[in-house]
Amino acid sequence: MYDAADRYDEDLLLKVPIPLWLVILFLVRHLLLLGITFMPTMGEGLAIIRNLVMPAYLLADLPAVLVLLAAMRRARPCKDWVRWIWWRAREILSLSILLYLALVGRAVWQEHSFLWQSIDEAMLVSLMLSLAALVYLWRSSLLAAVVRDCPGQRD
């Protein structure tokens, strides 16, 4: 079984749950894909992936990058900038999701077509995962406790 002590790291901070890591990685997927395509060992075959990454969607990844950096730098005592970002992680990640949804909506609107005519299966999966991530961010009581757990110098 799972012991409550297993939820804490060596700094006695609540560990970042795996679902949150997955959400963060999902929300920076365009930057990750773009970065992977520039690796020298990958060859020309990944130029196709580079063409799949729309530059506008990279904007939606930027807020989530802040949370990724804060999650990686989170240790007792938390630096002020890490604590400021971490305490607002749910809002920042939600902003990233909403920016992505707005960019998709803008693309559909510019095509002057209906949503079901403008998106393919991959885009539909991406939209559903974005909505599921949004629900997770605001419904998880463990996540609410984790983002509050980032003590500073004086705490």
Side-chain angles (χ1 to χ4, degrees):
M1 190 68 186
Y2 196 58
D3 188 11
D6 293 334
R7 292 193 185 270
Y8 292 89
D9 63 11
E10 59 275 356
D11 288 325
L12 296 177
L13 294 173
L14 282 168
K15 290 180 183 176
V16 178
I18 292 174
L20 180 57
W21 281 117
L22 293 174
V23 165
I24 293 170
L25 291 176
F26 173 71
L27 293 178
V28 297
R29 68 192 175 279
H30 301 103
L31 286 170
L32 290 175
L33 284 173
L34 191 62
I36 287 170
T37 62
F38 286 106
M39 292 177 71
T41 60
M42 296 311 230
E44 292 295 320
L46 289 178
I48 298 168
I49 294 176
R50 189 177 306 141
N51 293 333
L52 291 176
V53 177
M54 302 292 291
Y57 295 138
L58 294 173
L59 289 174
D61 290 12
L62 295 179
V65 169
L66 292 174
V67 177
L68 177 63
L69 292 174
M72 292 188 316
R73 297 295 308 242
R74 191 173 155 255
R76 187 179 297 270
C78 291
K79 293 180 173 38
D80 290 340
W81 70 269
V82 171
R83 190 167 42 160
W84 189 91
I85 292 170
W86 192 248
W87 282 352
R88 293 159 183 83
R90 294 190 306 170
E91 292 88 354
I92 294 170
L93 294 174
S94 297
L95 173 65
S96 187
I97 293 169
L98 294 174
L99 273 171
Y100 174 71
L101 295 175
L103 289 168
V104 169
R106 181 177 156 254
V108 169
W109 182 75
Q110 285 180 339
E111 289 182 17
H112 301 293
S113 61
F114 294 106
L115 181 64
W116 57 87
Q117 295 171 333
S118 305
I119 62 171
D120 57 4
E121 290 84 10
M123 180 65 75
L124 182 62
V125 168
S126 179
L127 290 172
M128 291 294 129
L129 287 173
S130 295
L131 293 174
L134 196 58
V135 169
Y136 166 71
L137 289 173
W138 293 101
R139 297 285 298 166
S140 172
S141 57
L142 174 60
L143 181 57
V146 168
V147 298
R148 285 190 307 264
D149 191 22
C150 194
Q153 297 280 353
R154 296 170 295 276
D155 296 342

